[in-house]
Amino acid sequence: MRLGLGSPGRYAGPLAEVSLSLAIGLAAGAAVLAGVGADPARGIYAMFSWALSDPSAVLDRATPILLTGLGFAVAARASLFNIGMEGQMYLGGLVALVVSLATREPVLPTLAGVAVGAGYGALAGILKVYRGVNEVVSTIMLNWIAYFLLGYFVTIYYPSPQRPWRSLDVPVTARFPRVSELPTAFLVAVAAALVMLYLLWWTSLGYDIRAVGLQPKAARYGGADPRRVTAISMALSGGVSGLAGVLVVLGRSFYLDSHASVMAGMGFDGIGVALVGRNHPVGIVLSSALFALMAVGGHGMQLEVGVPRELVEAVTGVVIFALAVPEAYRMLASALRFGRGAGGTSEGGG
Amino acid sequence: MGVEVATLTSTALRAMVPLTLAAVGEVITERSGVVNIGLEGIMLMSALGAAYVSYFSGSPYLGVLAGVAVGVAVGLVHGAVSVHLRGDQIVAGVGVNILAYGVAVVTLMRVWNSYGQSPWVPKVPRIPAGPLGEISWFFPLTLAVAAASWYYLFRTKGGLRLRAAGEDPAAAEAMGVNVFRVRFLATVIGAALSGLAGAYMSVDYVGQFTKQMTAGRGFIALANVVFSNWNPLVAVGGGLIFGFFDGLATYLEIVMRSPAMGFLLKTIPYAATLAIVSAAVGRVRPPAAVGRPYSRE
């Protein structure tokens, strides 16, 4: 079975790294709670119990960050650092809203949102290929441009007559339904993860993407065109990020506002989701659920101990920072294995 | 017309300060071989620290020191991760940016019980400057920092060693350069200058802290690094160009008084940055070993 999963033994190291980073992040969060005079145990308990009492809210929250996580991962597999999921998501959501007002059904708005997201992602890819513009800089600029374009269209062309800072509502016939409590939008996101899994490990395009990411020169020798792969993986990244915006608008909020507050930050959340999920679709489904749990539970924590739920952002930042230093874990592991004598190898070890 | 040119010029001069300071700092860092894309996060946390200290001490100068101290603190951690632990510098930088937003909102809520901004804080006094109205002390300071950085990098032995660490660390090490120490210090100094830029934002440029106040300026500064071809003096010119578009957007918004146009005008600095960088790349060359951890064999 070529699942891209490999033998179980391969997971021990990465799993330990991810767990340790999450533990460091939670410890930092607990330290902040204690520092401001709140009871950390009560705060963390409130977070998880609140989230687990409302599973459909967790699935709603997981849907967009699962997709932006996939968006980050497919670019990262080609060794690109796309942090433009935020803007790609905004445009996907905006286009879905506009098209749904005309078609009053969900299919065409979804396809249009995905296409525009893909185009916006490809734009950064093309700027990189033809102009050598670093994607970190270009995607952040494109994020801000998308943010203000969204505000422009929402308040000028599609404002709600009663509340002009937000848009008209998505027609009821164009919304993604819920089957009892289960949001179908979440099922669409999981399906996208399966498609991405298939694409990355069963198709020649996926092989090229992974080859370019690992070793561009060798990949070119093997027949992959790194420039084409760059543009395509950025388009794929933008497409799933666009879908994230579509599913927020057609699946949960049913409107947009001038500050995109129904989805703000969920593109950046995808970075943490993807890194904790080790840029693998299966890992990303799991980590999106974890991040959604923390985000939804943040409300519970805020109510229970009075610390703003943005503390969750700070924890996420620490987790990501901790994930940047696998070398530290290797050093820690060897120190534990060899006792104190290994401390002297801090700079030469590994 | 003359008044408008003067207004536009002074707006651009004010906007160029953070874009130049952060870019000059990052030029120093990247010349040594380390990338720090956490400039945005450092600026935000430094702006917060500066506003906090200025508010409670009543001294904007202490606020500036606090902003620099925040930059140094982040630089120490980023330096340790990038240089000694050979971590992924890009991932660490993103971590700083996300952390900063959480820290900003949590602090605003705890200290000022506000979700979006601090109250007004004491500001650094300005220098009267004839037709331009008044200019900030940070303007001459920025020029001096850029000139001194250029002199150090390109006219001193220490600067040569720093650049060698970023071009070919193994050869530099063979020449007797302590690559680890040079890269670590360059990362701390670069972050300190981003901290200075952040302090300027809150205790000089605006006079309060708001959670979105950096608004991508850390990334525009990164674009300015590329535009400058890793040269601090050219980064001043870049800061003026990027600052001009930043100021132009603000200025046109005031003149046109149309909320609809306001949204579109706000895209100007970002679109201009993209256009300028697209035109500049290809003629620039980054340090050969930038972003690649060095290990002694």
Side-chain angles (χ1 to χ4, degrees), chain A residues 321-332:
Chain A
F321 200 89
L323 279 170
V325 281
E327 190 71 14
Y329 305 128
R330 256 164 255 145
M331 278 161 43
L332 188 73

Side-chain angles (χ1 to χ4, degrees), chain A residues 74-124:
Chain A
V74 66
R77 285 281 170 185
S79 171
L80 293 161
F81 205 84
N82 177 20
I83 44 178
M85 292 87 71
E86 189 83 10
Q88 295 149 6
M89 176 181 69
Y90 290 167
L91 287 194
L94 174 64
V95 168
L97 172 80
V98 171
V99 176
S100 78
L101 292 172
T103 68
R104 314 187 74 80
E105 53 75 46
V107 177
L108 209 57
T110 302
L111 296 178
V114 170
V116 169
Y120 212 50
L123 179 58

Side-chain angles (χ1 to χ4, degrees), chain B residues 40-74:
Chain B
E40 178 87 3
I42 294 175
M43 282 170 73
L44 193 66
M45 287 192 283
S46 296
L48 175 67
Y52 181 91
V53 170
S54 179
Y55 182 80
F56 285 105
S57 73
S59 161
Y61 302 105
L62 284 180
V64 172
L65 280 182
V68 174
V70 170
V72 167
V74 178

Side-chain angles (χ1 to χ4, degrees), chain B residues 203-262:
Chain B
V203 300
D204 188 312
Y205 196 29
V206 179
Q208 68 174 156
F209 175 79
T210 66
K211 68 175 175 178
Q212 274 201 333
M213 79 182 317
T214 47
R217 285 185 177 81
F219 290 94
I220 295 181
L222 281 177
N224 189 13
V225 170
V226 176
F227 173 82
S228 78
N229 199 11
W230 289 264
N231 181 331
L233 287 184
V234 184
V236 174
L240 280 170
I241 296 172
F242 292 112
F244 169 78
F245 287 107
D246 197 348
L248 182 68
T250 315
Y251 173 77
L252 288 177
E253 253 182 278
I254 295 165
V255 174
M256 293 175 120
R257 283 198 209 98
S258 147
M261 287 309 288

